[in-house]
Amino acid sequence: MRKMFFYPLLFGLFLLNVAGTCCADDPEVVSIAKNNLTQVNSIISQGTWKVSYFLDKNSNLTSEYSGYNFTFGMNEILTSNNAANAFSGNWSVVKSNGIDDNPDNDLDFAISFSSPDTLMELTAHWDVTEITETKVRLKSKSGNVDGINYLTFEKK
């Protein structure tokens, strides 16, 4: 009789454990960013940012951006500088109506640089996966058959 009670209990605990480990592909966008483009644009356009993480084609390239500062300025002008040079590009954050695996997270972050090669690696349409006052996490699969690229900016 004990075995008949024990096995269903054990099976129930197993199901609870499995259900607790399942999660969505993307972390939910922080409520600030969920539906408020004005607030997202306000957050990103204040201050100077640095790349704190960049995984491209399964290679961690974060160190290549050491010393680069990024400013997301007015009129969607993105400037980046290091100790020797300054570069200009473009940026925008838009609400995407595209179909994806997380319809609650339809913010797209576009970055575009035409030079140098290091900054051109950041050129993509990124999905916003998280945004806070001090951190922006992005991911992109655009054209990458080797996996998903990840990019994180942190405020300096």
Side-chain angles (χ1 to χ4, degrees), residues 58-133:
N58 298 321
S59 296
N60 188 335
L61 302 178
T62 306
S63 64
E64 291 186 24
Y65 299 90
S66 173
Y68 279 90
N69 297 308
F70 295 84
T71 304
F72 299 89
M74 301 292 283
N75 299 319
E76 299 179 343
I77 301 297
L78 173 57
T79 56
S80 178
N81 59 56
N82 58 17
N85 298 302
F87 305 97
S88 290
N90 298 93
W91 71 280
S92 66
V93 178
V94 296
K95 187 104 171 129
S96 168
N97 293 326
I99 298 172
D100 63 16
D101 59 351
N102 189 352
D104 291 331
N105 178 6
D106 283 334
L107 292 177
D108 289 340
F109 197 117
I111 296 174
S112 175
F113 281 102
S114 58
S115 68
D117 289 344
T118 302
L119 295 178
M120 288 173 54
E121 289 287 328
L122 304 178
T123 297
H125 285 268
W126 299 88
D127 293 327
V128 177
T129 60
E130 179 183 358
I131 186 164
T132 68
E133 296 287 336

